[in-house]
Amino acid sequence: MEAPCLALLLFFATLLLLPQSSHGATRYYTFNVTMQNVTRLCTTRAIPTVNGMFPGPKIVTREGDRVVVKVVNNVKENVTIHWHGVRQLRTGWSDGPAYVTQCPIQTGQSFVYNFTITGQRGTLFWHAHVSWMRATLYGPIVILPKRGVPYPFPVKPYKEVPIIFGEWFNADPEAIIAQALQTGAGPNISDAFTINGLPGPLYNCSSKDTFKLKVHPGKWYLLRLINAALNDELFFSIANHTLTVVDVDAAYVKPFHTDILLITPGQTTNVLLRAEPDAGCPAATHLMLARPYGTGQPGTFDNTTVAAVLEYAAAPGHIKSLPLFRPSLPALNDTAFAANFSAKLRSLASPEYPASVPRAVDRSFFFAVGLGTNPCPKNQTCQGPNGSMFTASMNNVSFDMPTTALLQAHYANIAGMYTADFPAAPLEPFNYTGTPPNNTNVSNGTKVVALQYNTSVEVVLQDTSILGAESHPLHLHGFDFFVVGQGFGNYDSSKDPAKFNLVDPVQRNTVGVPAGGWVAIRFFADNPGVWFMHCHLEVHTSWGLKMAWVVNDGPLPEQKLMPPPADLPMC
């Protein structure tokens, strides 16, 4: 048989093997990755885009649907797309992180991502997962409930609006991180934040590039908030308006009201917004503002504010001619607000949407996360701490990316790509949030944790003050997890578990490890494959704050990883 015909047969055979939904539709998309000239802050730059759009196109689907996306790479860099937060049950080949579940799509090549949305509804997003390409390659994923199933809140939104936070760099982000990795220094920060790709009126040369949300008095709006920024957690508020949080990371939560929310890179939050019946001041303009929550060293993040505009339909005119209301946001380093906001998030834990929290734990892990150093190479001058190179690690292991995909190595039993000896706890315990140790050097390796199918797992993620306490948004691919506890200082295994919430903890795929504190998560390892876990501050991922879980097949056919698709890219 001719090779192309064989490949086609293998592709359709793989489609038939994929998990089927008895009711779901199949939704097809084509993503052409191309360079596009885009101007922001009076700077024009050719950026990678999908279908020429920045931000990229919206995927709209329903719980139970299959999504098929053909990604065609027309740029000179390698590309992958990650469907951030999608469970990818048995379809790990479509998860997207380069050199973890797939080799990247090379120039002129394509790959078909094929997965089913199972047990999720709300907002997720897609983004590139190679180096810093997700600076411009991102877009929303809207997951509606199954047809005929209402939202579990009493208000039916008049309109639903994605609000995507991003970062704009006047320089090429790939050049920025390449220079930082060469010199060992922290990378240059972004020049602006964006809302739906627009920096807004508070930046120079940007007033015309402002996102405007026009609303009708008395109507309810569902805002689908997504933090696609590379390196910054963000506070967000709308002047004179209260938001009702109803969903995070595509899982419903007990609704609560807030004037301000915190959203870290990788997180999504659905909020209800009511346009005031009398519009307060009919001809007023209300600013929507976002600015960083920053706990690291001064100068390591973009300390600017992005603005968008909430306009009432009755308002006639131009921004400058209208009364302007501006919300107040917390102080840059308001860790108390961050902790209090996170503590308000609770799963619905209803009969329709239960919280299936592991009550017993088969395997416990304690991961110390934070920054460290590597010695400067001989005959080179480095700009990191004390002439060293910045690095980052979990349990003192800075992850080395392999040269072929870990999932391919696991599936085909290819030796030498990784070792299954990632430490379950730091090999040399220390006072994690106290006086830093004298030796800040870390080790390097491609180490994973291997789990048997359906193992119940608990991971305590402990921030460290080695180079300063800092919040770290940790993202786990392939799973949602339950955030059962959090606190400040060092985790106490004899006292803290008694305070865990095992009734209605929030369900997430990305959680902020508190600055100078810890967070405890639990999940069932019920998804066979290889699953990346990493900090969603892109600079920390570049420095090695990442690892992987290998979940072995279960005994039953529906507990086994699918075979690789015929068009899976090769390295």
Side-chain angles (χ1 to χ4, degrees), residues 60-123:
V60 180
T61 183
R62 289 188 181 275
E63 179 187 353
D65 286 355
R66 179 189 288 179
V67 179
V68 179
V69 187
K70 181 179 182 180
V71 176
V72 184
N73 183 9
N74 299 298
V75 301
K76 67 179 188 299
E77 293 89 1
N78 290 340
V79 169
T80 67
I81 300 294
H82 170 50
W83 317 94
H84 183 109
V86 172
R87 284 289 314 275
Q88 298 290 356
L89 288 167
R90 302 174 62 211
T91 55
W93 307 105
S94 287
D95 191 41
Y99 302 105
V100 178
T101 59
Q102 68 166 99
C103 298
I105 307 166
Q106 298 178 27
T107 304
Q109 303 297 310
S110 65
F111 177 50
V112 177
Y113 292 90
N114 199 317
F115 51 88
T116 297
I117 305 292
T118 304
Q120 296 178 290
R121 72 294 296 173
T123 304

Side-chain angles (χ1 to χ4, degrees), residues 111 127 244 286 398 415 527 568:
F111 177 50
H127 62 77
T244 304
H286 305 263
S398 187
N527 194 6
L568 186 71

Side-chain angles (χ1 to χ4, degrees), residues 174-320:
E174 292 299 304
I176 290 172
I177 185 57
Q179 180 186 34
L181 294 177
Q182 177 68 29
T183 64
N188 291 340
I189 60 174
S190 55
D191 294 281
F193 293 109
T194 58
I195 291 179
N196 290 346
L198 302 171
L202 303 185
Y203 295 101
N204 289 333
C205 192
S206 190
S207 61
K208 64 178 175 46
D209 292 325
T210 300
F211 174 70
K212 297 180 182 179
L213 175 60
K214 293 187 182 296
V215 296
H216 296 274
K219 299 289 188 184
W220 287 88
Y221 295 80
L222 183 69
L223 306 184
R224 297 177 175 271
L225 308 177
I226 299 165
N227 189 345
L230 277 187
N231 291 311
D232 289 278
E233 306 180 63
L234 295 169
F235 295 120
F236 174 72
S237 184
I238 303 176
N240 296 333
H241 290 75
T242 297
L243 304 172
T244 304
V245 178
V246 294
D247 185 301
V248 296
D249 292 3
Y252 293 130
V253 297
K254 290 183 171 70
F256 67 93
H257 305 304
T258 185
D259 296 332
I260 304 163
L261 59 84
L262 174 67
I263 185 166
T264 79
Q267 289 184 341
T268 64
T269 305
N270 282 7
V271 297
L272 289 170
L273 164 75
R274 190 190 189 202
E276 298 299 330
D278 60 358
C281 172
T285 296
H286 305 263
L287 288 181
M288 304 190 285
L289 298 184
R291 76 172 182 216
Y293 163 53
T295 54
Q297 301 297 319
T300 59
F301 47 85
D302 179 350
N303 184 17
T304 60
T305 302
V306 60
V309 171
L310 182 75
E311 275 187 355
Y312 280 81
H318 192 56
I319 294 176
K320 291 180 180 176

Side-chain angles (χ1 to χ4, degrees), residues 29 32 108 273 305 348 365 371 526:
Y29 294 85
N32 285 302
L273 164 75
T305 302
L348 272 187
F365 299 88
L371 304 187
D526 57 359

